[in-house]
Amino acid sequence: MPRPKESFEDIFPCEFYTPEELLDPDQMYTIREIARLLQGLDPDADIDEDTEAVIVDWAVPWVMLNADDLVIGEPPTEDAPGYYGLRTDDGSE
């Protein structure tokens, strides 16, 4: 159900990190790790499954929105997650 803006004590701008602000150019990250970074956490932070599910839901659209600035690394095994990294000036790794 919608709520009036005045019912909130604080309202903040909806701003997200750019890939350059978020990712180390020499590293590749899973969606789960990107989700943690978007929340200001360490990529290997221990969080509960429910929280992880919510932040991953935010990370997937972020990756899609920023796809032009990212590269994808093939998963090391069939059942492993994919890895994403920052695209460099030459358009690759």
Side-chain angles (χ1 to χ4, degrees):
M1 165 95 40
R3 290 177 52 189
K5 283 185 179 178
E6 68 253 7
S7 72
F8 292 89
E9 189 171 314
D10 291 312
I11 295 177
F12 306 97
C14 187
E15 299 175 342
F16 293 96
Y17 294 102
T18 66
E20 295 82 12
E21 293 171 326
L22 190 69
L23 305 177
D24 180 324
D26 297 324
Q27 299 294 317
M28 297 288 282
Y29 304 87
T30 66
I31 288 286
R32 293 170 192 248
E33 292 165 338
I34 291 171
R36 286 170 173 76
L37 290 171
L38 286 167
Q39 296 298 314
L41 302 171
D42 289 329
D44 60 351
D46 187 28
I47 57 176
D48 65 78
E49 286 183 33
D50 291 337
T51 300
E52 184 172 65
V54 170
I55 65 174
V56 164
D57 284 348
W58 281 79
V60 171
W62 183 89
V63 167
M64 293 173 65
L65 180 67
N66 292 289
D68 290 344
D69 297 322
L70 302 173
V71 293
I72 302 170
E74 189 168 334
T77 63
E78 241 182 70
D79 60 339
Y83 283 79
Y84 300 84
L86 189 60
R87 184 182 302 259
T88 60
D89 290 336
D90 65 5
S92 64
E93 48 187 74

